[in-house]
Amino acid sequence: MKVTELAKEFGTTPDTVRYYTRLKLLNPTRSENGYKYYPPIEISKLKFILSARQLGFSVSDIQHIVDEASLGKAACPLVRSLIKERLAETEKQFQAMLALRKNMKDALAQWEVKEDKAPTSTMVCHLIDSFEPTEENGGSHE
């Protein structure tokens, strides 16, 4: 299968396939006419890579998993360990986004009742200057 065919098969772009090829995660063969062809094993690898990316694995993680498997070792313990790390990172990001969302909602509620003011020599926008986050969302300034 050629690059464009492979990309279409998996609903991705040819650039994505080329990117993973440049990283040596995919190893196509060259035909006499110079086209890169991806045999079935490489098609399976791309499916694996795309699935791993959807699960939040980094390219580095994927390379580590592939390296482990290429040594004939079961990659499952590594995969479990990595997904636990990615889940912990995602949870931290999620909590940070929830806090940001709360601050944004609080700001909007505070600003709905405030009048518009022109900037001055000491103020750009009084709405932002006057915002006071609640204690649970970083209101204390230590």
Side-chain angles (χ1 to χ4, degrees):
M1 200 177 282
K2 291 193 272 185
V3 171
T4 53
E5 297 167 334
L6 187 56
K8 187 174 181 180
E9 172 86 14
F10 287 100
T12 191
T13 65
D15 284 341
T16 297
V17 176
R18 290 183 190 104
Y19 172 71
Y20 293 125
T21 301
R22 276 193 311 275
L23 294 177
K24 306 242 185 277
L25 286 170
L26 297 174
N27 301 301
T29 57
R30 284 220 182 253
S31 66
E32 290 178 15
N33 63 8
Y35 288 116
K36 290 180 182 175
Y37 282 94
Y38 293 81
I41 186 69
E42 300 306 314
I43 295 169
S44 295
K45 280 187 200 175
L46 180 61
K47 182 178 185 226
F48 165 78
I49 291 165
L50 295 174
S51 294
R53 292 295 287 156
Q54 286 201 324
L55 285 165
F57 289 101
S58 68
V59 172
S60 176
D61 291 340
I62 294 167
Q63 184 64 62
H64 193 178
I65 295 165
V66 169
D67 290 347
E68 192 82 359
S70 71
L71 296 173
K73 298 179 183 177
C76 298
L78 174 61
V79 168
R80 284 186 195 99
S81 173
L82 289 170
I83 198 77
K84 286 176 186 174
E85 289 176 26
R86 297 302 152 258
L87 182 57
E89 291 167 2
T90 300
E91 185 62 34
K92 281 178 70 174
Q93 292 170 347
F94 178 68
Q95 293 304 322
M97 289 303 294
L98 285 176
L100 174 60
R101 178 176 174 255
K102 173 96 171 73
N103 275 346
M104 293 169 92
K105 285 184 164 193
D106 289 350
L108 188 57
Q110 290 175 26
W111 297 345
E112 288 291 333
V113 296
K114 294 194 177 205
E115 64 186 62
D116 295 344
K117 290 185 182 178
T120 67
S121 62
T122 59
M123 175 205 48
V124 175
C125 178
H126 82 102
L127 297 177
I128 293 174
D129 288 341
S130 68
F131 175 66
E132 295 188 23
T134 59
E135 286 297 316
E136 63 197 46
N137 285 324
S140 62
H141 300 282
E142 298 175 24

